[in-house]
Amino acid sequence: MKKQFAVIGLGRFGGSVCESLAKQGMEVLAIDTDEDKVSKFANIATHAVVANTTDENTLQSLGIRNFDHVIVAIGDNIQSSILTTLMLVEQGVKSITVKAQNDYHEKVLNKIGAHRVVHPERDMGIRIAHNIVSKNVLDYLELSDEYSIVELMAGKKVAGKSLVDLNIRANYGCNIMAIKQGEEINVSPNADDFIQQGDILIVIGADTDIQRMERSLF
Ligand code: ATP
Ligand code: ATP
Ligand code: CA
C-alpha cells in the first residue's frame, strides 16, 4: 500500500514538500487555512482541504492519525505550529516532522514530542556559506556538530594522483566515499584509483580534518 502523507501549511517550504512527495508518487493530503493556497494544490496533491489544524475536532475528522507521516510547515505563526504539533502527538501520529522558525521554537517542538525538527533556512544558509567561502566546496551536509560530508572539486594539486599518493586517510583522517567523473560515479574508490582535475570528491570526516585537507590540497 502507498504511504500516506499530510502536509500542513502550504507556504514555500510546505508547498515544495507537498509537490515533491506527489512527484514521487506518494498519496498527499494538503492542508491550509488559506483557500487560495489550497486551490493551488488541488491538482498537485491527492486531496487538498481548507482546515485549521489547531482545532482538535478538525484534525480528528480528517483522520489524521491514520497518516504514516505528517509534516507541519506552519512558519510564522509559532503558536499554531506548536498547538498543531501537540495535538498530532496526542492523537498518536507515528511520524511528525516540523519546520522550526528559530532555536526556541525547535526546543519546544522537541520537548512536546515532534519526531523530527527541520530548520531549512538555517541549514541552507550554512550550506551556501561553505560554498561561497571556498569555491572548491560544492556542497556540504552537516552530520553533527563535528562531522560533515562535503563535495570537493579536484584542482591541479591533486590531479593525476592516486589516493595512496595523497595518503588522505592516513594524513587527514578523512575518507573519500566516492569520486564523480562526469556521469560516472565510483562509489568505493581504491587506494590506486586516480583523481583527475574537475573530478568531484565526496569526503566524510571531522570538520577540522576536512578543513586541514581543503587548505593543503584544494
Ligand atoms: P515559507 O515556507 O513560505 O517560508 P512560512 O514559514 O513563512 O512559509 P507561513 O507563511 O507563516 O510560513 O505559513 C505557511 C502556511 O501555513 C500558510 O499558507 C498559512 O496559511 C498556513 N497556516 C498557518 N496557520 C495554519 C493553521 N492553523 N492551520 C493550517 N494552516 C495554517
Ligand atoms: P588504512 O589502514 O589507512 O586503511 P590500508 O593499507 O588498508 O591502510 P589501502 O586501502 O591500501 O589502505 O590504502 C592506502 C592508503 O591510501 C590509505 O592509508 C589511505 O591514506 C589512502 N586511501 C585509500 N583509500 C582511501 C579512501 N577511500 N579515502 C581516503 N584515503 C584513502
Ligand atoms: Ca518564511
Side-chain angles (χ1 to χ4, degrees), residues 148-165:
S148 305
I149 294 175
V150 296
E151 263 192 11
L152 297 169
M153 168 85 81
K156 286 205 178 73
K157 274 195 202 167
V158 295
K161 302 222 165 83
S162 69
L163 297 185
V164 65
D165 291 338

Side-chain angles (χ1 to χ4, degrees), residues 12 75-76 99 101 121:
R12 280 162 302 181
D76 296 341
K99 173 185 151 162
Q101 195 75 344
E121 284 98 347

Side-chain angles (χ1 to χ4, degrees), residues 130-143:
H130 277 269
N131 174 257
I132 291 169
V133 166
S134 165
K135 68 176 176 18
N136 288 310
V137 177
L138 303 176
D139 206 351
Y140 172 92
L141 178 71
E142 197 180 64
L143 296 175

Side-chain angles (χ1 to χ4, degrees), residues 24 47 58 64 72 77 80-81 92 101-102 122 147 151 165 201 215 217:
Q24 291 177 66
H47 301 284
T58 304
I64 205 76
V72 182
N77 193 338
S80 291
S81 161
Q101 195 75 344
N102 57 51
R122 183 191 62 190
Y147 295 90
E151 263 192 11
D165 291 338
L201 311 183
R215 288 209 187 95
L217 297 180

Side-chain angles (χ1 to χ4, degrees), residues 42-54:
N43 295 320
I44 298 165
T46 319
H47 301 284
V49 296
V50 177
N52 187 339
T53 56
T54 58

Side-chain angles (χ1 to χ4, degrees), residues 8 31 33 51-56 58-59 62 74 80 84 87:
I8 301 171
I31 307 168
T33 41
N52 187 339
T53 56
T54 58
D55 181 63
E56 198 167 7
T58 304
L59 278 182
L62 287 171
I74 301 170
S80 291
T84 297
M87 280 183 306

Side-chain angles (χ1 to χ4, degrees), residues 177-197:
M177 297 162 67
I179 301 175
K180 284 201 236 177
Q181 225 155 49
E183 292 293 293
E184 280 183 27
I185 304 183
N186 176 355
V187 291
S188 62
N190 293 315
D192 52 7
D193 283 341
F194 283 88
I195 298 170
Q196 287 163 27
Q197 192 165 351

